[in-house]
Amino acid sequence: MIVRARRSSLGSVSVFGRAVKFRDFAGLAAAKARGRRGGRPPTLSEQSIGVAKALIKDGSLTIIEIAAQLGVSDSTLYKYIPHPRSR
């Protein structure tokens, strides 16, 4: 009896999870149809990336100083410009 009740409760959780997943996909499809896309906006613009590349090429500042000047962390700068000093 307990096993049957447990299966029933787990089954209802599973059905609820599928319903939530279906609604999520429907919402994403509706947003895509309206021309929207998800995700966080980019931290650095193309112009900022160009400035960073020029400063890296100049060689007078460290990566941390360049990142601070652009208002981002050094890991964010490395995300946009991987291996900056190897070129």
Side-chain angles (χ1 to χ4, degrees), residues 1-77:
M1 175 112 165
I2 295 173
V3 172
R4 203 176 308 158
R6 190 172 196 175
R7 280 189 197 153
S8 175
S9 65
L10 289 176
S12 64
V13 169
S14 174
V15 169
F16 179 72
R18 277 184 261 148
V20 169
K21 185 176 179 180
F22 178 75
R23 281 199 326 243
D24 283 348
F25 282 128
L28 289 172
K32 188 174 185 179
R34 290 190 311 266
R36 305 285 299 171
R37 52 171 264 227
R40 187 176 180 143
T43 308
L44 290 175
S45 65
E46 291 295 324
Q47 182 181 3
S48 296
I49 294 170
V51 169
K53 286 181 178 180
L55 290 171
I56 289 168
K57 190 175 182 181
D58 181 39
S60 62
L61 297 173
T62 66
I63 298 297
I64 295 172
E65 292 170 336
I66 295 169
Q69 193 173 22
L70 294 173
V72 296
S73 68
D74 57 331
S75 60
T76 300
L77 190 58

